[in-house]
Amino acid sequence: EPGMFVARVQGKSMEPEIPDGAYCLFRPPRDGSRQDKRLLVWHSGIDDPVTSGHYTLKVYAREKEETSEGSWHHTKILLKPVNPEFEPIVLTPEDEGDVRVIAELHTVLSPISETV
């Protein structure tokens, strides 16, 4: 579909679901809830030790609370790794302007062998 792209994922934070070095197919983010989706996110405060980039692929989770008027608001957003050896990235409502959802994971493709 239009807007889909393939990117190589580096790092172990999403293992074993997404192996280090795997190629993944992404699609543009969809409308609706992002809860529990695997999202490629840009954040100005992220400094990846492998690539020095500002991108991460994590599981999106939000925490919200009810206001006295009966509506809801986000208290924080967690970008959670699958691998328990890694900590989630915690974002607050103040971080909202510094965060962009770039794409949603569609499919994990087989890693291409380095010997090919």
Side-chain angles (χ1 to χ4, degrees), residues 43-56:
H43 184 281
S44 63
I46 295 171
D47 187 19
D48 186 278
V50 175
T51 66
S52 300
H54 298 288
Y55 296 90
T56 191

Side-chain angles (χ1 to χ4, degrees), residues 23-113:
Y23 287 86
C24 295
L25 179 63
F26 292 91
R27 66 176 173 217
R30 309 272 177 154
D31 291 336
S33 175
R34 296 176 176 161
Q35 190 71 11
D36 297 324
K37 292 185 179 176
R38 277 77 178 137
L39 300 177
L40 177 62
V41 176
W42 177 91
H43 184 281
S44 63
I46 295 171
D47 187 19
D48 186 278
V50 175
T51 66
S52 300
H54 298 288
Y55 296 90
T56 191
L57 174 60
K58 299 287 186 282
V59 179
Y60 180 96
R62 72 180 179 289
E63 292 183 8
K64 59 184 181 177
E65 65 182 23
E66 189 172 6
T67 65
S68 58
E69 296 83 33
S71 62
W72 295 89
H73 73 278
H74 291 148
T75 56
K76 65 180 158 181
I77 293 171
L78 301 172
L79 301 176
K80 301 187 314 183
V82 172
N83 186 335
E85 294 179 20
F86 293 84
E87 295 293 322
I89 297 169
V90 180
L91 304 172
T92 64
E94 293 79 28
D95 296 318
E96 188 172 351
D98 298 327
V99 177
R100 283 187 222 115
V101 175
I102 304 299
E104 179 182 335
L105 178 67
H106 183 272
T107 306
V108 178
L109 306 171
S110 298
I112 295 176
S113 171

